[in-house]
Amino acid sequence: MKKFLFGILLSAVLAFAAGSEDKSMGVGGWLQAGNHGEHAGLDLQMRQDKIVTLDLYLHFCFYTGDNALGGYFGYYWNKYLNVPKDIGRMGFYVGPAGGLGWWNVDKGDNWDETGLSIRFGVVGGYQWEFPVVPLQLYLELNPVGEVHFMWWDYDGADDDDSFDDDDTDWKLPDVYFRIGLRFWF
């Protein structure tokens, strides 16, 4: 019963909350296409002034032998469209982004691949801040360059079958598409 009442209270607060225009910090989550190791993550965005925002985002993936973790930083300039306030606030943003990522993939048959990624690129997106509830829906493209440092390990049945190797690889360009939702407070 307590959970039910909490859910009703939270819904009422969100339904009658002010819009997100005057809020300074947004927290949310996102889904992403373009990289098999980065499907989802968390996001923290902070407004620095009327046009500049800082974005910190974290991705994580831990399932079926495909593990990944990364942290990234973006610096965005926002351009808001002149639309009526009753439909919310809409705009575009663009800016540089970069960060670090790690992955470990079980390739099966005693093969294991581990890697470290250094990413840099430009993020561009569209955002819609809802008119009453302090929520923001965003869609973004993230063309990036990545440097990958990779290690392969094969642990055979005996010592003669063991194999270790490493490689450095560039991935340029790579493009990710992200859709997310933030709650502003």
Side-chain angles (χ1 to χ4, degrees):
M1 185 65 170
K2 289 181 183 178
K3 290 181 183 179
F4 178 71
L5 291 175
F6 178 74
I8 290 175
L9 180 63
L10 181 63
S11 298
V13 167
L14 289 176
F16 296 107
S20 62
E21 184 175 344
D22 60 340
K23 312 291 187 198
S24 64
M25 187 176 297
V27 175
W30 49 267
L31 299 174
Q32 178 173 274
N35 184 335
H36 68 278
E38 295 181 21
H39 300 292
L42 300 175
D43 172 88
L44 171 68
Q45 191 168 82
M46 297 161 287
R47 290 193 172 118
Q48 302 302 299
D49 60 30
K50 290 186 179 206
I51 62 168
V52 174
T53 54
L54 299 178
D55 194 11
L56 303 171
Y57 50 103
L58 173 71
H59 83 82
F60 47 87
C61 177
F62 298 103
Y63 65 92
T64 64
D66 190 5
N67 303 313
L69 181 65
Y72 305 96
F73 173 79
Y75 185 90
Y76 307 145
W77 292 277
N78 298 273
K79 172 67 175 162
Y80 293 99
L81 303 173
N82 190 11
V83 297
K85 282 193 169 231
D86 60 340
I87 63 170
R89 192 161 84 147
M90 298 178 191
F92 297 94
Y93 59 93
V94 66
L100 296 172
W102 165 88
W103 74 91
N104 178 267
V105 179
D106 181 4
K107 299 284 193 177
D109 295 328
N110 299 320
W111 277 96
D112 187 42
E113 177 184 302
T114 303
L116 178 65
S117 170
I118 301 172
R119 178 184 296 172
F120 55 92
V122 175
V123 171
Y126 169 78
Q127 57 194 351
W128 175 42
E129 297 175 12
F130 292 33
V132 176
V133 181
L135 287 175
Q136 177 187 51
L137 175 70
Y138 64 95
L139 308 169
E140 69 182 33
L141 282 176
N142 188 355
V144 298
E146 293 182 342
V147 180
H148 293 176
F149 303 98
M150 297 171 284
W151 301 270
W152 294 277
D153 293 317
Y154 175 70
D155 185 17
D158 56 42
D159 290 336
D160 294 337
D161 291 331
S162 294
F163 173 75
D164 294 318
D165 196 11
D166 58 71
D167 190 18
T168 302
D169 184 24
W170 281 88
K171 241 182 148 177
L172 186 65
D174 208 355
V175 177
Y176 304 133
F177 172 75
R178 184 175 298 144
I179 182 169
L181 192 64
R182 286 187 195 101
F183 177 77
W184 286 89
F185 57 95

